[in-house]
Amino acid sequence: MVMPSPEVAMPSISVQDLGDGRYKVRWRELLPGDTGLPERGADGRIKRRARSLVVHGKASRDEAVARIRRALLDEGEFHPATAAPAPTPPANLELAALEWLDWKKTRCKPSSVVSYASHMKAFFEIARQLEAIPAQAPVAATVLSRGLVIQCVRHWQGLGRSESWVYSAARSVVDLWRWASDDPDRFYGIPLPPRDAKAVLPRGPVYVAPPAPTIAEIDACLRHLPPEAEESRRIGVTMRFTGLRVSQVLALGLADVDTQAATVVVRTGRTRREEALARTIPISPHLAADMARWFEHRDAIGPAFPLWGRTNSSQTAASRSQAFRAAWSSATQAGEARRAVWDPPNRKLARPQHGFRAAFQAFMRSKGVGDEVTDALVGHAGRSVRERHYAGPESLWGRMVEAVALIQPVDWVGPKHRAGGKVVELVGPR
């Protein structure tokens, strides 16, 4: 043991970040002599030697610095063999992904979390194959690399996955990677993620805006809904006159509808900002008259559309859209609507309900209604600071009322169809 000398000052210790959660601790310690006292040079000065130690993780770094400082003050030298931290096994990447999904639940909608979980399942299936990891063995965080992500992308593309799905899945993997690498102590062994995500991500999908339906095409779709699908017709009419999303229409309660004032309160939205607004919008007098008839014998509580709404959980979103998909197909076959307006050729999935929202906005543009008025009606954020903060619905109310009054009634007759030599006229909703 080297006895510390009165000449020994407070030990100087420095730490170098090596990346990947590794740290190099440097210090200078006394050089022990034969007598047990610090060795001195010819000039009488105490000799010292440079030492270093590499540790993993911030906790191990701080512990090593404390032990080294204590040993230097007490004995003048440090013995790494007696204080070296035990090797830490790499983190389980699948457990990290579960924590990441839990974190996503606090920031994203449930539907988005479901998509992220699907991406993680696909990623770990391919990662186990590429890295030859047995089914029961954990996936170590150290397997993450640019090459692995690129291989996964190529594999998904080879399976025929859509361009948008492959891009979203790869983006989810990179997001998990960056999230875990921000806490190397908890997720030991995680490599540094690429600074530029483009280094591993495929090309993003490019969408070409499909043509918007005309009001005449929307009316053709409504006419081709079967007469017994009464609630589907009412929902379609509401979307036609308001430009709201189908989810917003389904969330309407009877208390949100004021047929005398010709207004509805929209309490849901695609973003948290839109939901927080709980905005009131005017509706067309034609829609107000229809709603007064629809809800005449209903109590003033409960959902406006109970058969389709959230109270009926047995119906999935896919089954709900089947009626509109069939109606659009029928109208297209009859030559009353273009397929591209509801089933764009450049998109994998058709959007039979979103066409109503597109038609509403296209109609407003054709009538010369200002963009700020249309945005206020459909719930889009303002396009400038002034519009977002100082030109809300209150300042545009008069123009909004004038805009919705421009929408003509639904054409429930349309072109007359001949079946077996007999003229058949399609009737509107009851």
Side-chain angles (χ1 to χ4, degrees), residues 189-217:
I190 193 97
L192 286 177
R195 291 185 177 180
D196 187 2
K198 294 180 181 179
V200 294
L201 293 180
R203 291 183 303 175
V206 177
Y207 294 116
V208 178
T214 63
I215 292 296
E217 289 174 312

Side-chain angles (χ1 to χ4, degrees), residues 145-182:
S145 66
R146 294 188 181 189
L148 177 61
V149 178
I150 293 173
Q151 284 181 295
C152 288
V153 168
R154 291 173 179 171
H155 187 89
W156 291 327
Q157 291 172 340
L159 293 176
R161 291 280 196 172
S162 68
E163 190 179 43
S164 60
W165 189 94
V166 173
Y167 180 84
S168 299
R171 189 82 200 182
S172 297
V173 175
V174 174
D175 193 6
L176 163 67
W177 191 351
R178 288 178 169 175
W179 178 83
S181 68
D182 195 44

Side-chain angles (χ1 to χ4, degrees), residues 4 34-35 56 76 87 159 179-180 182 241 245 286 291-292 304 308 312 331 336 353 372 400:
D34 297 335
T35 62
H56 298 269
L159 293 176
W179 178 83
D182 195 44
F241 278 106
R245 300 180 181 89
H286 305 298
M291 286 184 162
W308 264 46
N312 187 5
E336 300 175 22
Q353 297 162 353
E372 68 279 6
M400 293 165 66

Side-chain angles (χ1 to χ4, degrees), residues 34 78 106 111 116 119 129 155 168 227 237 242 244 249-251 255 263 272 291 308 327 336 377 408 418-419 425 427:
D34 297 335
F78 176 70
T106 65
S111 58
Y116 293 137
H119 298 159
Q129 295 178 20
H155 187 89
S168 299
V237 170
T242 60
L244 296 177
V249 174
L250 297 182
T263 61
R272 296 178 62 192
M291 286 184 162
W308 264 46
E336 300 175 22
L377 287 169
Q408 61 264 37
R418 294 189 176 274
E425 292 187 356
V427 296

